[in-house]
Every structure is written in C-alpha cells, then in structure tokens.
Amino acid sequence: MSLDAVVSQIEVLAKEEINSILEEAKAKAAEIIGEARRKAEEIRKRKLEEARARIRREEAVKLAEARMEGRRKLMEAKFSLLKACTEEAERKLRRLAEAKEADYREALFRLTLEAVSNMSSSDLKVYCNRRDRQLLSEIVRKVEGEASRLKKTRVKVKLEEEPLDCMGGVVVQSADGREVYNNSFEARLKRFEEELRAELLEIMLGGE
Amino acid sequence: MSVEAVRRLVAVEKEWRGRIEEARRKAERIVEDAKAEAQRILEEAENPESVERFIEEERVRVDSRIGEVRRKFEEEAERIRKIGLARIELAVDFLVKRVLGVEV
C-alpha cells in the first residue's frame, strides 16, 4: 500500500469517527430535549388539571351563592306582594268600617259571636272602638241569644264603656279577666295574613 | 518506509487526532447545550404564568355564567312582582272576607 493510500485511509477512518461522535451527541441532545418536552407537557397538563379543579370548586361556590341570593330575591318579591296585599286589605277594612254599611254590621255580629262562642266563661265583657259602640249595642242582645243557643247555656255579654283603640271588630274578655279573645280587625288581619300566606300567593301567582 | 514518510504519517495522524478531540469537545457542548435547553423547557413549564391565561379565560367564563344565573333570578322576581300586582285585588278581597268572618 502506498503512503498516500495509508494517509487517505487514516482520513476516512478519522472522518467516520468524527461523524459518529457528532451524530451520537446530536441523538443524545435530541433525546434530552424530547424527554424535557414530554415532562414539560406532563407538568402543563397537571397544572391545567389543578387549575381546572380549582376553578370548578370556585364556580360551584359562586353558583351556590348566586342561587341562594336568587332564591332570596324570589322570596322578597313574594313577601313584598304579601305586604302590599295586607296593606291594601287594611285600607279596605278601614274604609268599610268607617262606612258602617250593612256588610260591616253583619261582620261585627259574626266577629262578636265567634269571640263569645270561643270563650269557656259565660259571663263576658265586650270592647269595641268608640265609633262602633252604637252599632254593637244594637246587636249585643242578638249575640247573647245566639251564643246561648249554640253553647246551650245562658251567656251574658256586657258592652263595656271603655273604648278600644282599633279599626274595627271586638275584644271579648271574661268577667273575671282571666280569658281574652281578640277579634279586632288588627288581630284577625295579622292572624290570617300569616295563616293564609300560601293561599294568598296561590291567588296572586296562580301556582307560579 | 522512509523517515520522511513516517513523519508525514505521524503528522497526519496527529492532525486527525486533534480533529477527533475537537469533535469530542463539540459533542460535549452539544449535550451540555441540550441539557441547558431541557432545563429551560422544564422551568418554563413550572412557571405559573403558563396556566394563568387559562385561569383568566375560565374566570371570565365563570363570571359570565354567574351573571346569567343572577339575571335569570332578577327576571323571575320581576315577573312574580308583575303577575302578583296584576291579581292583587283578588287576594285582597279574599283576605278582607276572611277578616270579616265571611266563609270563602
């Protein structure tokens, strides 16, 4: 083999080795970066999942708060209707009582009879406002008669002088003062406004 | 083989050994650079800013959804008020009759 051929052979072998060294390094570098990218993707995915879970939790809390507040607003809307209804009913009752029409006379009789009938005592005092005194004096005997018939015992009802501060209706008290039945408009309005809430809303909202 | 030839061979071999050494150093640099790049990639992934945009977008979506829920309740409350006020007279009459002791 000639010298040139040997030199050429050395060059070829050396170049091959250099190529091999560099290719191996490039392959290792690509593997390192590839592995880093894969891990980075995993990290990003994990972080996104964590963020997503945190956002979901926050969303659930905020949604629950918004729904609670919303339900409170619906309740407020219904209560404002009930309040408006009660206020209007009070105005109407006042007008009706002040007008002293036949309807009111009948109502006063019914309310007095109901109060008297619900007392266990048979010796009773009845109170009303100054305006209704004349009207009540005209019906108190009829109440006595009707109550005696219903209770099958002699019922005595005395109309008291002391005026009651109320829109209308009566307050009945036993003569010994131990028993009281408040059948004034105010008491009845308060009682029925509470008792009839569901029905009043049903009328106004029609099952909404 | 002449002395001259041997010298030439030694020189050539030395030259290529040098080149191979240089290639080895270059290879080491390539690997070191790759490790540094890998480190940068991992640090970038660990950086909280990488998910901040997603979180921001999600928050906007959540706020929009909450706003929609609130708006629906507001509308429902307003609808209840309107329906109720339109029929309040019926309820007033019912309540007044009960207060007056009229059987309804």
Side-chain angles (χ1 to χ4, degrees), chain B residues 42-98:
Chain B
L42 290 174
E43 281 171 6
E44 191 182 289
E46 288 286 0
N47 187 339
E49 282 177 13
S50 66
V51 290
E52 266 175 15
R53 190 172 160 201
F54 166 78
I55 290 172
E56 203 48 49
E57 285 170 1
E58 279 294 285
R59 289 226 162 98
V60 169
R61 182 191 64 75
V62 169
D63 286 348
S64 164
R65 188 177 176 204
I66 302 300
E68 181 70 8
V69 169
R70 286 184 203 278
R71 193 180 57 74
K72 279 188 178 166
F73 273 111
E74 296 269 359
E75 284 174 4
E76 180 62 8
E78 189 53 35
R79 198 177 69 86
I80 283 173
R81 271 190 284 272
K82 277 185 185 165
I83 293 174
L85 286 175
R87 303 171 65 168
I88 199 167
E89 274 307 316
L90 292 172
V92 170
D93 286 346
F94 176 74
L95 183 56
V96 165
K97 280 181 181 169
R98 291 299 294 265

Side-chain angles (χ1 to χ4, degrees), chain A residues 69 73 92 188 208, chain B residues 70 74 79 93 98-99:
Chain A
E69 191 189 324
K73 281 190 175 161
K92 203 164 181 175
R188 287 179 69 83
E208 289 278 338
Chain B
R70 286 184 203 278
E74 296 269 359
R79 198 177 69 86
D93 286 346
R98 291 299 294 265
V99 172

